Amino acid sequence: MISDRDLARWRLHSQRLAAPAATAEDVVRTLAAVQAENASQSAWAVATRTSSPRQGDLADALTEGRILRIHVLRSTWHYVHADDALWLQELTAPRVMPIFEQQLRPIANRLGMLGDAVETMLADSPDRTRGDIADALAERGEQVTGQQLMLLLGRLEVQGRICSGAPRDGEHTYARFADRVPAPRRLDRDEALAELALRYFTSHGPATDRDLAYWATLTVTDVRRGIAAAGDRLASFEHDGRTFWHAPGEAPASAAPAGHLLQVLDEMYRGYQDSRWVVDADGVVPRARETAIGMALVDGQLVAGMKRTVTAKAVAFAVHPHRPLSPREIRAIQDAADRYGEFLGLEAKVRLDGS
């Protein structure tokens, strides 16, 4: 009999947290998409899944356009490989675009003109920051700033017209999609559904059809169509009254390293909805809206909330346990902090509530 703890440990392997990949590009290609709302935290989400984490790995891939940071799958940022960007957009856009359209209703009559203006300016001068674009639009007499500008740019990304450019001094920029990805990979809808099912359940499995439907803003009907098309490239089992899909093979016996300090948006948490709480087999984590921006996992279980603070000399982790931690669990968290500190080139400090 498989347990929730077994499922969580299995996911550590599927997601490369316990079976690291060689490079950031390998991580993003394997996971199909990596949540990237918070750029600094999501950089670690990618790096911690590599065998030798270094900051320049992801940064170089973003600069060279091998990895893009765009709005895709849901109305939020993700890292995706350039080879996957267009077919993922075309597959998920029909259900994501209405979210942007609803939020942009106050300027609906200007969207066509504004989109053309942004695309034209990026054709003339790529790698512009959001502030650059706001200034250029203002020079044309179009005042679009703040949330509206972010939504406008997100809408253009979902349309496959713009994407991330080469970062400038660490700041996100935009470029035309056609210039960054001159020969995009395209799939028809049935091919895309099968590809997505195979990639998601291989990299996030075991998981349910409703987990994938949430992750990619698809209907359960579409997800099941993709699963059927994937055929014997996927395997399944029944657990807790649901069907869990995964790459063929047995559950991994163990997971190392045991501890992980991750943002709450990490794929280990946000990559699921229907079966998210296998990371809390004992039910000790409050089910209300998340109050911490980070989490501490040990053996795939969410044992504590976490807040990260970075200074010039150190990275400090305030850890708020959901239950008393054993000495082994505390050592696993310290080990995770040390790996994070080494990645940043800073001393790592852990403060446990009550210590």
Side-chain angles (χ1 to χ4, degrees):
M1 292 289 292
I2 196 163
S3 69
D4 281 359
R5 283 186 173 80
D6 295 327
L7 287 175
R9 292 192 193 101
W10 194 336
R11 288 176 180 178
L12 290 175
H13 283 263
S14 300
Q15 290 212 14
R16 301 294 190 170
L17 286 165
T23 67
E25 186 175 359
D26 293 332
V27 170
V28 173
R29 192 190 289 276
T30 297
L31 270 65
V34 177
Q35 219 280 359
E37 184 71 20
N38 183 308
S40 64
Q41 293 274 27
S42 59
W44 174 243
V46 174
T48 193
R49 290 170 162 87
T50 65
S51 52
S52 299
R54 64 179 186 86
Q55 295 188 57
D57 189 4
L58 177 63
D60 290 346
L62 288 167
T63 297
E64 295 165 11
R66 291 178 281 119
I67 293 174
L68 305 178
R69 180 173 176 255
I70 59 174
H71 288 77
V72 65
L73 297 177
R74 305 188 297 280
S75 55
T76 191
W77 297 100
H78 285 84
Y79 295 124
V80 296
H81 196 278
D83 292 343
D84 296 320
L86 187 61
W87 71 263
L88 282 173
Q89 290 288 29
E90 291 179 340
L91 177 63
T92 60
R95 288 174 60 85
V96 176
M97 186 61 74
I99 300 170
F100 284 97
E101 301 288 1
Q102 174 65 28
Q103 293 176 301
L104 287 167
R105 285 182 63 185
I107 59 170
N109 63 333
R110 299 163 59 200
L111 290 178
M113 177 272 298
L114 289 169
D116 290 343
V118 170
E119 198 169 3
T120 297
M121 72 177 68
L122 292 177
D124 294 338
S125 177
D127 305 330
R128 293 198 183 195
T129 67
R130 191 185 306 171
D132 293 337
I133 293 172
D135 291 343
L137 288 174
E139 290 175 5
R140 297 169 180 243
E142 299 291 342
Q143 297 291 335
V144 186
T145 58
Q147 182 77 358
Q148 280 191 337
L149 179 57
M150 184 188 72
L151 291 168
L152 170 67
L153 296 174
R155 178 179 183 270
L156 293 172
E157 289 173 341
V158 174
Q159 290 177 321
R161 297 173 66 181
I162 70 171
C163 64
S164 58
R168 188 198 307 164
D169 298 326
E171 188 173 357
H172 182 88
T173 72
Y174 295 87
R176 287 202 318 161
F177 187 92
D179 294 333
R180 293 289 270 177
V181 191
R185 183 185 180 210
R186 306 191 87 115
L187 300 174
D188 67 34
R189 185 166 182 80
D190 284 343
E191 290 174 327
L193 287 171
E195 173 91 357
L196 186 61
L198 180 63
R199 298 272 290 278
Y200 175 82
F201 290 117
T202 297
S203 64
H204 290 68
T208 72
D209 52 9
R210 293 185 181 277
D211 286 321
L212 175 51
Y214 158 78
W215 188 75
T217 321
L218 294 172
T219 65
V220 173
T221 298
D222 271 341
V223 169
R224 290 174 179 170
R225 188 172 165 185
I227 291 171
D232 60 8
R233 292 177 292 173
L234 291 174
S236 67
F237 58 84
E238 299 300 313
H239 170 69
D240 196 25
R242 292 171 288 182
T243 301
F244 283 76
W245 297 90
H246 60 95
E250 298 298 320
S254 61
H260 300 276
L261 292 171
L262 305 167
Q263 58 173 334
V264 78
L265 299 177
D266 191 87
E267 292 295 314
M268 268 297 289
Y269 181 86
R270 194 63 71 190
Y272 314 89
Q273 186 180 61
D274 183 44
S275 65
R276 175 178 295 168
W277 290 106
V278 301
V279 297
D280 181 27
D282 292 333
V284 298
V285 181
R287 297 298 194 261
R289 183 176 177 84
E290 299 94 352
T291 57
I293 62 171
M295 58 184 181
L297 297 179
V298 178
D299 293 329
Q301 293 298 294
L302 202 172
V303 299
M306 177 273 289
K307 183 177 180 180
R308 184 198 72 161
T309 303
V310 180
T311 65
K313 294 184 178 180
V315 54
F317 301 93
V319 177
H320 314 287
H322 295 300
R323 57 163 174 76
L325 301 179
S326 70
R328 175 186 170 276
E329 289 171 326
I330 294 171
R331 287 194 301 272
I333 290 171
Q334 183 63 60
D335 177 62
D338 290 341
R339 296 197 310 274
Y340 207 146
E342 184 177 359
F343 170 70
L344 295 176
L346 299 171
E347 179 187 2
K349 299 179 179 180
V350 174
R351 180 180 61 80
L352 288 172
D353 277 2
S355 65

